[in-house]
Amino acid sequence: MIYCGPHLFLVTSDPEVVKDILTSKLCINKPDLVYDGIAHVIGRGLITLRGDNWYHERKIYNESFKIGKLQAILPVFNKKMKTLFHNIDEDIKNDKSTPLFYYTREYTLSASFETMIGRDLDKVDGDVKEILLNFSEAAEYASHLASNFIYLVAFVRKIAEKSIFKKALEVTKGIHQFISMSQKNYTKLRGTDPSYVPNIDTPMETLDRAVERNELKLEEATEGIFQLFIGTFETNSTALYFALIMLAMHPKIQERAYKHVCDIFPNNDNGEFVVTYAHLSQLGYLDMILNETMRVLPIVPQVGRKVEGGNLKLSNGVVLPEGLRILIDIYSLHRSKDIWGPNAHKFNPDNFLSSNSMERHPFAFIPFTKGIRSCIGIRYAEYNLKVALARLIKRYKFSSDAKMEDLIGENHIVLQFIHQPKVTVERRRTISSE
């Protein structure tokens, strides 16, 4: 138990207790003290909704994340790699060292924009891209509101929004307004405005149909899309960035991954191959790399729940009283030596060999949480990240002198490094030039 100001929280990283909490209908809701701040920045949606409202909207959103719908957007992920390759190649050619996270943010930004909102960011007029790339400021703003309870005081928050959070608020409003405008004009401009992508059934359309059926209000649908877009963009860019850093720091693992990709895509193609749905199940070692990345560097290092509707009796007999706020410490759970052994802090994809996973507690690894309120975008992230990682590994070699102990993280809704490690990117010498 810890106190956050005058408020008592249960903090746990025990997998059995975590299971009891995440699978209980008494712990559907998230603690207001933490998530009210987040909701103030990103509005209502699957991340912040409560109770029956969450159940209702989750059923609507599920339509967009069915396997068939996700298969249909795989070409988008492949297409977006062309721009990513061009940007990295230009930097290498001009001996320019752009921070690696910029590449991953730009890729996932463009992919999320098209798959969630249905618009091609490269064909949108204006400075929308620049606004979106500055979303990290808005994420930091949300993090402060979630972690510093002084901002729950409206007067204090208003002062902060006119001073230290002024730019972040402008970025947030700019993104929200653009999404709102896109949704209002979606039916009218699709087919005439080249930025509106044809032949792809996005969550934007799913929610539009829900509005037509009077299952949602238009403003609710807009805020829901805003959360989906931000969620897929921010978490996927961070996961891809962390995976590339891990490979850069562990050259033997990177070479094993390279050979694995070459076995599946043997042509001398400079990473220009297309990853299809059939390929995804063959890229097993990339699954292990991504899982291990999210183990040692969980994208969302902690999540909250609140006991509501009665007392919760845990498997160990302890009773959690109604109203108790809970923080699940995913970071400590994923690095527990009791679960992962004495080298729990080290990066080792073999942790996810089936022989090593068989006896492990099913709630020992929860990068997308689990249970009733698990992340809706698990498969979306898998497809997106495996396409990008496979093609990047085939085309480039990443290297870094950084060590695991150099990576000091802090929670900004998603995990961030206080100091970004330097990573060198070069074209693979074994592949012929174009």
Side-chain angles (χ1 to χ4, degrees):
M1 294 284 192
I2 65 168
Y3 277 94
C4 294
H7 307 289
L8 185 65
F9 279 78
L10 167 68
V11 181
T12 182
S13 57
D14 182 310
E16 189 63 24
V17 173
V18 170
K19 177 185 175 183
D20 289 341
I21 292 167
L22 294 182
T23 58
S24 172
K25 292 183 178 180
L26 298 176
C27 294
I28 289 294
N29 292 326
K30 299 180 178 181
D32 46 354
L33 292 173
V34 177
Y35 286 85
D36 281 358
I38 298 174
H40 180 76
V41 179
I42 62 176
R44 68 183 305 286
L46 290 183
I47 297 173
T48 54
L49 281 171
R50 295 170 53 82
D52 291 342
N53 289 329
W54 178 82
Y55 277 114
H56 171 69
E57 294 197 19
R58 177 64 181 248
K59 288 181 180 179
I60 296 172
Y61 283 91
N62 282 341
E63 177 66 27
S64 294
F65 290 87
K66 290 181 176 179
I67 295 296
K69 295 285 181 70
L70 295 178
Q71 288 182 43
I73 63 176
L74 269 174
V76 175
F77 300 145
N78 281 287
K79 178 180 69 173
K80 295 301 178 182
M81 294 301 297
K82 182 177 181 180
T83 301
L84 180 59
F85 283 168
H86 172 78
N87 291 341
I88 297 177
D89 288 346
E90 284 297 301
D91 278 3
I92 294 173
K93 178 181 177 182
N94 297 315
D95 198 26
K96 183 180 178 183
S97 183
T98 301
L100 188 59
F101 68 84
Y102 185 90
Y103 297 139
T104 64
R105 287 180 70 81
E106 191 168 40
Y107 163 73
T108 57
L109 168 69
S110 188
S112 296
F113 203 78
E114 190 159 330
T115 55
M116 295 293 111
I117 300 173
R119 298 190 67 177
D120 188 337
L121 192 55
D122 295 328
K123 297 177 182 178
V124 173
D125 294 330
D127 57 356
V128 178
K129 191 171 187 177
E130 189 63 30
I131 292 174
L132 291 166
L133 284 171
N134 285 325
F135 180 74
S136 57
E137 301 226 9
E140 185 174 357
Y141 167 43
S143 177
H144 281 293
L145 263 61
S147 60
N148 192 336
F149 298 149
I150 192 174
Y151 293 120
L152 293 178
V153 180
F155 175 72
V156 175
R157 188 170 62 238
K158 286 181 180 179
I159 294 175
E161 288 173 347
K162 292 181 179 180
S163 54
I164 58 175
F165 296 137
K166 184 177 180 180
K167 183 178 179 181
L169 190 61
E170 289 173 352
V171 169
T172 305
K173 286 183 176 179
I175 299 172
H176 191 278
Q177 287 170 359
F178 185 84
I179 292 175
S180 177
M181 180 272 293
S182 298
Q183 185 158 25
K184 289 176 182 176
N185 292 307
Y186 199 80
T187 303
K188 180 173 63 176
L189 295 181
R190 195 177 193 186
T192 59
D193 184 329
S195 72
Y196 285 82
V197 182
N199 305 320
I200 179 172
D201 191 353
T202 64
M204 181 83 84
E205 290 185 82
T206 299
L207 296 191
D208 273 350
R209 291 192 288 267
V211 171
E212 291 174 1
R213 297 191 299 264
N214 293 318
E215 295 174 351
L216 283 178
K217 296 178 181 178
L218 180 60
E219 58 269 25
E220 293 173 342
T222 300
E223 290 193 346
I225 286 292
F226 179 73
Q227 282 203 11
L228 271 186
F229 165 66
I230 294 303
T232 54
F233 156 49
E234 191 73 8
T235 57
N236 287 328
S237 67
T238 303
L240 181 58
Y241 172 50
F242 286 173
L244 293 175
I245 288 175
M246 290 297 98
L247 292 177
M249 291 168 51
H250 299 85
K252 291 183 179 179
I253 293 173
Q254 183 177 177
E255 285 309 299
R256 181 178 169 186
Y258 173 68
K259 291 176 182 177
H260 175 65
V261 172
C262 288
D263 286 343
I264 299 168
F265 302 99
N267 294 334
N268 202 16
D269 52 24
N270 296 286
E272 299 286 355
F273 56 83
V274 172
V275 180
T276 67
Y277 180 69
H279 291 131
L280 294 176
S281 61
Q282 301 173 40
L283 293 166
Y285 192 56
L286 296 196
D287 276 322
M288 293 165 61
I289 288 170
L290 288 167
N291 283 340
E292 180 67 357
T293 297
M294 290 185 284
R295 183 188 71 80
V296 295
L297 297 169
I299 310 308
V300 180
Q302 58 184 213
V303 295
R305 293 291 187 268
K306 187 176 182 181
V307 182
E308 292 186 337
N311 297 334
L312 172 62
K313 186 174 182 179
L314 303 177
S315 300
N316 59 14
V318 173
V319 176
L320 304 184
E322 182 173 7
L324 180 66
R325 297 176 178 91
I326 302 165
L327 285 179
I328 296 172
D329 185 355
I330 298 176
Y331 189 91
S332 296
L333 173 65
H334 284 187
R335 288 179 173 233
S336 169
K337 292 184 179 181
D338 291 337
I339 299 171
W340 303 95
N343 295 319
H345 63 290
K346 293 185 178 181
F347 180 78
N348 178 18
D350 285 352
N351 278 320
F352 289 91
L353 288 170
S354 57
S355 57
N356 292 331
S357 303
M358 199 174 303
E359 301 299 324
R360 193 174 295 139
H361 194 288
F363 279 71
F365 178 65
I366 55 168
F368 299 95
T369 72
K370 278 189 175 183
I372 298 173
R373 198 162 178 163
S374 61
C375 177
I376 197 172
I378 296 175
R379 290 287 170 261
Y380 177 96
E382 176 193 343
Y383 296 0
N384 189 351
L385 296 173
K386 285 171 79 170
V387 168
L389 198 58
R391 295 184 60 177
L392 285 167
I393 288 172
K394 185 74 181 288
R395 191 179 185 93
Y396 303 107
K397 184 176 181 180
F398 302 88
S399 57
S400 177
D401 292 330
K403 308 297 181 186
M404 289 296 290
E405 54 267 27
D406 299 328
L407 304 179
I408 302 172
E410 57 183 356
N411 186 9
H412 284 257
I413 307 303
V414 296
L415 187 67
Q416 293 183 11
F417 297 135
I418 295 176
H419 303 293
Q420 306 298 333
K422 184 178 179 180
V423 177
T424 300
V425 185
E426 57 184 313
R427 286 287 292 265
R428 286 200 173 267
R429 303 298 184 189
T430 55
I431 300 177
S432 62
S433 60
E434 293 176 85

